Amino acid sequence: MKAVTWHGKRDVRVDTVPDPTIEQPTDAIVRITSSGICGSDLHLYEVLTPFMSEGDVLGHEPMGIVEEVGSEVSSVSPGDRVVMPFQISCGHCFMCDQELYTQCETTQVREQGMGAALFGYTKLYGAVPGGQAEFLRVPLADGTTIKVPEGPPDERFVFLSDVLPTAWQAVEYAAVPDGGSVTILGLGPIGEMASRIALHRGHRVIGVDLVPDRLSGARERGAEVLDLIWRSTSSGAAARSR
Ligand SMILES: [Zn+2]
Ligand SMILES: [Zn+2]
């Protein structure tokens, strides 16, 4: 299959690599139909280089169609449409029972002092091959797949993998009181999703950025916006004129 592989700092390529196979009875093989590129992938491109190995397959925001399942997988079958989250989790340990799946005790990478294993994200998180590839082996498939319906396009579901839950958690942890407001610094993918979620939850949203398209998009969706460039240049000019 074709896969996005890491070869060194700022050196990422599309290579032909062996197709994944079922290794454990709890595995599934998924044919990937869409796969996100994340800001977190930029860390692998540069600062996390010491924790990468040549040939590592990147990607942690995939979705696709189940091709094959191991004998102990019961929640999905071949043909099912699924999204995979960043983390690999069993779904039935103490942490999973608290819905703290990124700390799954079954996949925790304890020798590195980390939480649950992650797809495509360095030896710190288990060196698990990722989903920017034609096929993905999904370990612990019963806990690591989200079944989604047929019909709507992939773009309706692929954000369930990382962008939506990450942004949702940010808004949740902000604990905005009823009638309160929330300021979102940076309207990139996560910030934009956080602003949509905060608006959806009825909060007053103030979005801050310096990219015109991001600001106009947030304004159209109902956020108030603050243009950092305008603020810095106009306040700078005002300060200089004094
Ligand atoms: Zn991501
Ligand atoms: Zn678990």
Side-chain angles (χ1 to χ4, degrees), residues 40-41 43-44 47-48 50-53 56-57 59-60 85-89 101-104 106-130 137 139 144:
S40 299
D41 289 324
H43 303 321
L44 311 181
V47 294
L48 289 179
F51 306 104
M52 298 293 286
S53 302
D56 280 355
V57 178
H60 59 266
F86 202 158
Q87 76 280 352
I88 296 159
S89 59
Y101 305 108
T102 56
Q103 301 303 321
C104 172
T106 307
T107 74
Q108 275 174 2
V109 187
R110 293 191 184 85
E111 64 274 19
Q112 301 285 356
M114 294 302 183
L118 304 176
F119 284 111
Y121 218 74
T122 77
K123 61 188 73 160
L124 295 175
Y125 294 96
V128 184
R137 180 175 82 90
T144 311

Side-chain angles (χ1 to χ4, degrees), residues 37-41 60-61 86 162-163 166:
I37 299 175
C38 185
S40 299
D41 289 324
H60 59 266
E61 302 187 1
F86 202 158
D162 184 354
V163 174
T166 300

Side-chain angles (χ1 to χ4, degrees), residues 63-240:
M63 67 176 292
I65 306 293
V66 176
E67 286 275 309
E68 191 183 350
V69 295
S71 57
E72 290 177 21
V73 174
S74 58
S75 65
V76 291
S77 326
D80 284 346
R81 191 182 193 195
V82 290
V83 180
M84 274 62 64
F86 202 158
Q87 76 280 352
I88 296 159
S89 59
C90 71
H92 52 67
C93 68
F94 175 82
M95 286 300 192
C96 286
D97 284 346
Q98 321 293 310
E99 300 185 338
L100 296 171
Y101 305 108
T102 56
Q103 301 303 321
C104 172
E105 292 183 317
T106 307
T107 74
Q108 275 174 2
V109 187
R110 293 191 184 85
E111 64 274 19
Q112 301 285 356
M114 294 302 183
L118 304 176
F119 284 111
Y121 218 74
T122 77
K123 61 188 73 160
L124 295 175
Y125 294 96
V128 184
Q132 287 166 8
E134 291 179 291
F135 294 92
L136 176 68
R137 180 175 82 90
V138 180
L140 300 170
D142 281 337
T144 311
T145 50
I146 303 163
K147 218 152 107 172
V148 296
E150 294 299 328
D154 280 7
E155 302 90 271
R156 293 292 297 158
F157 301 112
V158 73
F159 298 114
L160 279 173
S161 186
D162 184 354
V163 174
L164 194 152
T166 300
W168 187 279
Q169 198 76 353
V171 175
E172 182 71 23
Y173 286 171
V176 185
D178 283 347
S181 60
V182 56
T183 298
I184 296 172
L185 301 175
L187 296 168
I190 301 295
E192 181 193 324
M193 187 63 85
S195 80
R196 289 175 183 234
I197 290 165
L199 289 165
H200 170 77
R201 292 171 66 156
H203 303 313
R204 177 185 170 204
V205 174
I206 301 152
V208 182
D209 206 299
L210 35 67
V211 178
D213 288 352
R214 293 177 175 182
L215 291 165
S216 60
R219 192 186 295 113
E220 280 162 23
R221 282 185 291 276
E224 295 160 54
V225 297
L226 194 62
D227 182 343
L228 265 189
I229 289 196
W230 181 84
R231 294 288 297 181
S232 57
T233 52
S234 60
S235 58
R240 280 192 297 275

